Amino acid sequence: MRKAPDHTLKNAVALAYRQTDAAPRVVAQGRGLLAEQIIARAHENGVYVHESPELVSLLMQVDLDQHIPPQLYLAVAELLAWIYQLESGAAAVPAPLFAGPAEGAGSA
């Protein structure tokens, strides 16, 4: 029996951050085949891939080559800190949980 095709398209967003940047930037984003290529390229280059559908959904709304919005600073900072700990050899560090942007965050 053939397996039914998976009609759920994957989304992927790639972020870049330099110490001279005000905030991380969205440097790639895609859906379906393009998302798979972004993920494959990350794996090929030893870049950690973290799955967080909620965070990716929000980051997909950011234009390419734009900085992430302030409402996502905390979530992305926690993720970057976690990746840094993994790369530093910290044992069994649990992945951060994304709870979404705080209500009213960034409102004037």
Side-chain angles (χ1 to χ4, degrees), residues 13 53-62 69 72 98 100-101:
V13 175
E54 299 87 0
L55 184 55
V56 169
S57 175
L58 292 168
L59 290 170
M60 288 291 287
Q61 299 173 37
V62 178
L72 298 180
F98 177 69

Side-chain angles (χ1 to χ4, degrees), residues 13 22-23 35 50 52 57 82 84 94:
V13 175
H50 178 72
S52 175
S57 175
W82 177 69
Y84 177 77

Side-chain angles (χ1 to χ4, degrees), residues 15-25 27 65 67 80:
L15 300 176
Y17 178 71
R18 294 188 183 105
Q19 289 182 334
T20 57
D21 287 341
R25 290 179 302 113
V27 294
D65 205 35
H67 293 241
L80 292 174

Side-chain angles (χ1 to χ4, degrees), residues 86-97:
L86 283 179
E87 291 175 345
S88 298
V93 178
L97 298 175

